[in-house]
Amino acid sequence: MKTMRVWLLGVILVVLTGCASSTAEEIEVNDDKIPSIYKVIGEKKITGTNSSIKNDVRTTEITYQKGSISEEEIVEYMTYLMDEEGFIPTADTQEVDGNLVNQLGAESVTDDHIVLVDVTAPKDFEGSVVITYRSGQGKITMNE
């Protein structure tokens, strides 16, 4: 009986920490489903996931194995989101702590909400790439 409780607690913790499968075709954030890296460029090893809700904004962060995603693959993924899924650039590329950060946004399926996708990659593309998906209240404005 004790083994069953420990197993059940383990399953609950895994679900609550926001696991992401390296072969999932979509990332679900609230009611929105955003195509994953897997759907666009194929399977990449995930080394970390984190999901949270803060100030009514749901966030899912996925970290990919160091050096496994190239600059060309990031461009391909972001281009797909813009061309096929209606995302637009919402911020200029920024350099933060030696990383390049790009942001795309789109209207959410939920009224008066938006979805943001931040792609953070080291300038040399030798480190881990982190993709952060957020959904919450707001309006999309194109970066000018």
Side-chain angles (χ1 to χ4, degrees):
M1 188 68 164
K2 184 175 180 176
T3 304
M4 181 65 148
R5 284 186 206 162
V6 171
W7 179 82
L8 184 57
L9 179 61
V11 168
I12 290 170
L13 287 174
V14 166
V15 169
L16 290 177
T17 56
C19 285
S21 166
S22 61
T23 58
E25 294 216 357
E26 297 174 325
I27 306 299
E28 291 186 36
V29 185
N30 288 336
D31 294 329
D32 295 288
K33 295 178 182 177
I34 303 111
S36 68
I37 281 279
Y38 173 75
K39 180 174 183 173
V40 179
I41 61 174
E43 185 174 6
K44 301 294 179 179
K45 176 136 175 78
I46 294 172
T47 59
T49 62
N50 187 20
S51 291
S52 64
I53 300 173
K54 184 176 181 181
N55 298 327
D56 294 326
V57 175
R58 180 175 295 275
T59 301
T60 297
E61 180 179 276
I62 302 173
T63 303
Y64 291 90
Q65 184 172 359
K66 183 178 176 179
S68 68
I69 299 179
S70 69
E71 181 176 7
E72 293 78 18
E73 290 171 323
I74 289 174
V75 169
E76 181 180 348
Y77 180 59
M78 293 180 72
T79 300
Y80 176 88
L81 291 177
M82 290 186 292
D83 291 350
E84 304 297 327
E85 301 295 327
F87 280 79
I88 61 171
T90 54
D92 288 331
T93 300
Q94 297 179 18
E95 185 177 331
V96 179
D97 298 328
N99 293 310
L100 299 176
V101 181
N102 289 284
Q103 184 180 82
L104 299 176
E107 296 294 329
S108 170
V109 297
T110 303
D111 288 341
D112 298 321
H113 281 69
I114 59 172
V115 178
L116 297 175
V117 177
D118 294 337
V119 179
T120 305
K123 288 194 296 187
D124 62 4
F125 290 88
E126 295 296 321
S128 297
V129 170
V130 178
I131 302 179
T132 306
Y133 302 88
R134 291 179 284 163
S135 177
Q137 203 165 30
K139 286 194 169 289
I140 289 293
T141 57
M142 183 176 279
N143 183 38
E144 296 182 27

